Amino acid sequence: MFEQLSGRMSKVFEGLSRGEKLSEGDVTEAMREVRLAMLEADVALPVVRSFVSKVKERAVGGEVLDGVSPGQAVAKIVNDALIEALGGAGAVPLNLSAPAPIPYLLVGLQGAGKTTTAGKLALRLASRERKKVLLASLDVQRPAAQLQLQQIAEQVGGRTNGLVASLPIEPGQGPVDIARRALDTGRREGFDIVILDTAGRLAIDEALMDEVRQVRDVAKPVETLLVVDAMTGQDAVNTAQSFKDQIGLTGVIMSRMDGDARGGAALSMKAVTGEPIKFTGSGEKMDALEEFHPERVAGRILGLGDVAGLVEKASEQLDQEEGERVAKRMLAGKFDLNDYVSQINQINRLGSISGILGMLPGMGKLKDKLAGKDLDTSIFNRHKAIISSMTEQERKTPEIIKASRKKRIALGSGTSVPEVNRLLKQFGEMSTMMKRLNKMGGLTGLMRGMGGAGGLGDMFKGMGGPGGRPPFG
């Protein structure tokens, strides 16, 4: 989402002249470019003016420390101002200290992703906080809305050992009556949290606000969370302002943060409405909901990466037991093609490679160069297809795969014999390198350094074509 803004910001700092002090001319020119970059990113004009004014005031005449370029000095000031504009360092947590069942109210316009977000939030609360969550759809306007939430609850409940459930559907009940029944069910059946998913409209109107106000007065929610579509830009900010003025909010959840919108809504939300962004959603998967950390977002905008976010994601997504199992096999010299597939699956859990690169410091330019090269999944998918067409014996002892077997494997996987040859050659090179490292004692240290996940570095190396050539370009 912030790629365009990030690219413009990087050019601004690279263009600053060298010197012992930041001259007013340097700062003025830099701020002109920053202003244009933020306006192009659809940041609200009052927010841009305030931001530029603060940065200029702090930067002009500032001493440049030894070993630090003027560009780096301004980048630090801009980073601090970005964090401030986004809501200050640190994620804003949900209120979990109220007496059970704690009512959460989700509000927003139709199509913003409220129902999916309700499921994501329930999964997060059940899996991380071990809370028993009841989902209740108050949407009697949209056809099958209640059935959709029921199906989501069943899906999430299956992943959390029944910690998430949905309120049984009773046709003919209005939103206020459903809210009362949900809270009563929550009390009687020992739920910790009740999430009320309200109806939306295509646009804000008085009927919508009246309905939400009535539900709010009955439920007395501890959290009133507005779900907005990040793709709608400043309309999302205007929607948030309307809901805040008429209903009252405790926070915002921005959906579709993986889209190609320019990021202006996120940068404007806190400054315009005063309400923090608590979570961001990216994708339809139930686990695609993340806490909003302003300092991490600022780092990614300025090309500083988000290592903390990557480590957090890895700890959540990677199967540590499987990683340790493969690592032990590597140390014993028994790494086979089944283990190779296991490592591919580990990487896929982290998401796209371009997404991983975006979270690493200084990788922005490399990511741009690789744009459109189909780096993310095609190589992995082809390798998995080839290996899945092998027999169990062939996966454990690739040395037995000769010409006739290669033809059969290529035909079964929809690939070609040269691709099968390339995979086998790369796997052979990986195995040889692991054995050499193991003899030198280097592989043991590598395994420890990677926390038992083992083999990922070799995996990336193994993605290349003949002679280590990468599969793109």
Side-chain angles (χ1 to χ4, degrees):
M1 168 167 284
F2 298 104
E3 286 177 7
Q4 183 180 345
L5 179 58
S6 178
R8 287 292 300 268
M9 289 285 196
S10 297
K11 290 177 182 176
V12 169
F13 304 135
E14 288 172 2
L16 283 171
S17 62
R18 295 187 173 276
E20 295 181 358
K21 273 195 174 185
L22 290 168
S23 70
E24 187 167 354
D26 285 337
V27 175
T28 299
E29 177 61 24
M31 287 306 99
R32 188 181 74 82
E33 293 300 322
V34 167
R35 183 186 296 110
L36 288 173
M38 293 182 77
L39 289 173
E40 284 181 7
D42 199 24
V43 180
L45 182 58
V47 176
V48 175
R49 286 174 175 164
S50 173
F51 181 89
V52 169
S53 175
K54 286 178 183 176
V55 173
K56 191 171 182 180
E57 183 181 330
R58 295 174 191 175
V60 172
E63 296 286 342
V64 177
L65 300 175
D66 288 342
V68 178
S69 71
Q72 291 169 331
V74 174
K76 171 66 170 66
I77 295 168
V78 170
N79 181 60
D80 292 343
L82 277 173
I83 294 171
E84 189 179 323
L86 288 164
V92 180
L94 292 171
N95 186 345
L96 296 172
S97 59
I102 305 172
Y104 288 173
L105 188 65
L106 294 189
V107 299
L109 296 181
Q110 190 171 312
K114 287 192 306 301
T115 303
T116 303
T117 300
K120 292 179 180 181
L121 191 58
L123 175 61
R124 186 181 184 89
L125 290 165
S127 59
R128 296 197 179 199
E129 307 292 341
R130 305 308 299 168
K131 299 294 184 183
K132 190 178 179 184
V133 184
L134 178 66
L135 290 168
S137 174
L138 279 57
D139 190 348
V140 296
Q141 303 288 332
R142 185 165 59 92
Q146 293 179 312
L147 184 60
Q148 180 191 359
L149 189 63
Q150 183 183 64
Q151 291 173 343
I152 287 174
E154 289 172 0
Q155 177 189 343
V156 176
R159 295 176 59 176
T160 58
N161 296 320
L163 284 176
V164 176
S166 65
L167 185 72
I169 299 171
E170 289 190 8
Q173 275 197 327
V176 175
D177 291 332
I178 296 173
R180 286 198 183 101
R181 183 162 60 90
L183 293 171
D184 183 57
T185 301
R187 278 187 288 268
R188 284 188 293 101
E189 299 185 13
F191 284 93
D192 299 304
I193 294 168
V194 175
I195 298 178
L196 303 173
D197 177 26
T198 62
R201 300 285 193 283
L202 293 176
I204 291 174
D205 58 31
E206 196 55 38
L208 168 66
M209 290 303 183
D210 280 343
E211 182 179 297
V212 176
R213 269 192 290 265
Q214 289 173 31
V215 171
R216 177 201 63 189
D217 293 343
V218 166
K220 295 180 173 54
V222 171
E223 293 274 5
T224 302
L225 302 169
L226 173 70
V227 181
V228 293
D229 183 349
M231 299 284 286
T232 59
Q234 285 305 306
D235 283 343
V237 181
N238 297 333
T239 298
Q241 189 65 54
S242 297
F243 272 94
K244 180 195 174 184
D245 293 342
Q246 299 186 56
I247 305 298
L249 300 173
T250 59
V252 175
I253 300 176
M254 297 198 78
S255 64
R256 299 190 179 95
M257 285 289 281
D258 54 335
D260 58 0
R262 291 165 291 177
L267 282 165
S268 305
M269 188 65 71
K270 173 68 175 178
V272 173
T273 68
E275 300 302 331
I277 300 172
K278 292 198 172 185
F279 295 98
T280 59
S282 52
E284 291 297 316
K285 291 183 179 179
M286 285 296 112
D287 55 5
L289 186 73
E290 300 176 355
E291 282 185 323
F292 184 78
H293 290 266
E295 68 278 13
R296 297 181 185 179
V297 174
R300 294 178 76 170
I301 290 173
L302 298 180
L304 305 177
D306 179 11
V307 175
L310 181 57
V311 171
E312 188 177 286
K313 189 173 185 179
S315 66
E316 291 171 5
Q317 300 295 333
L318 294 185
D319 186 336
Q320 293 297 325
E321 289 184 8
E322 177 64 11
E324 288 171 8
R325 184 193 69 78
V326 173
K328 287 176 183 176
R329 288 180 59 79
M330 286 180 179
L331 291 172
K334 297 179 180 178
F335 187 76
D336 61 24
L337 287 167
N338 285 322
D339 301 318
Y340 184 45
V341 170
S342 173
Q343 293 293 278
I344 290 176
N345 292 334
Q346 290 275 55
I347 289 179
N348 284 341
R349 286 192 184 100
L350 291 177
S352 66
I353 295 173
S354 59
I356 296 171
L357 287 176
M359 300 176 84
L360 294 173
M363 288 293 181
K365 290 182 179 179
L366 175 61
K367 183 181 172 184
D368 291 341
K369 287 179 182 177
L370 300 180
K373 299 292 184 182
D374 198 21
L375 172 66
D376 289 336
T377 58
S378 61
I379 296 297
F380 288 151
N381 290 340
R382 285 203 296 274
H383 282 191
K384 286 179 70 175
I386 291 169
I387 295 169
S388 67
S389 294
M390 297 177 184
T391 65
E392 188 63 27
Q393 186 184 12
E394 288 168 345
R395 294 179 200 178
K396 290 182 176 178
T397 53
E399 298 82 11
I400 69 172
I401 301 175
K402 304 303 179 185
S404 61
R405 291 179 185 257
K406 288 176 184 177
K407 288 179 182 177
R408 190 200 78 240
I409 292 167
L411 188 63
S413 61
T415 57
S416 62
V417 171
E419 285 181 285
V420 176
N421 285 331
R422 194 175 301 131
L423 168 61
L424 293 172
K425 181 181 178 184
Q426 290 162 5
F427 180 77
E429 289 172 352
M430 283 173 58
S431 299
T432 301
M433 187 171 66
M434 286 176 194
K435 287 174 184 175
R436 286 176 185 167
L437 279 170
N438 200 19
K439 285 179 182 177
M440 295 186 293
L443 191 56
T444 305
L446 181 64
M447 293 299 103
R448 288 199 194 104
M450 297 187 73
L456 296 181
D458 291 326
M459 172 75 73
F460 283 112
K461 182 180 177 65
M463 284 169 54
R469 179 176 57 83
F472 41 82

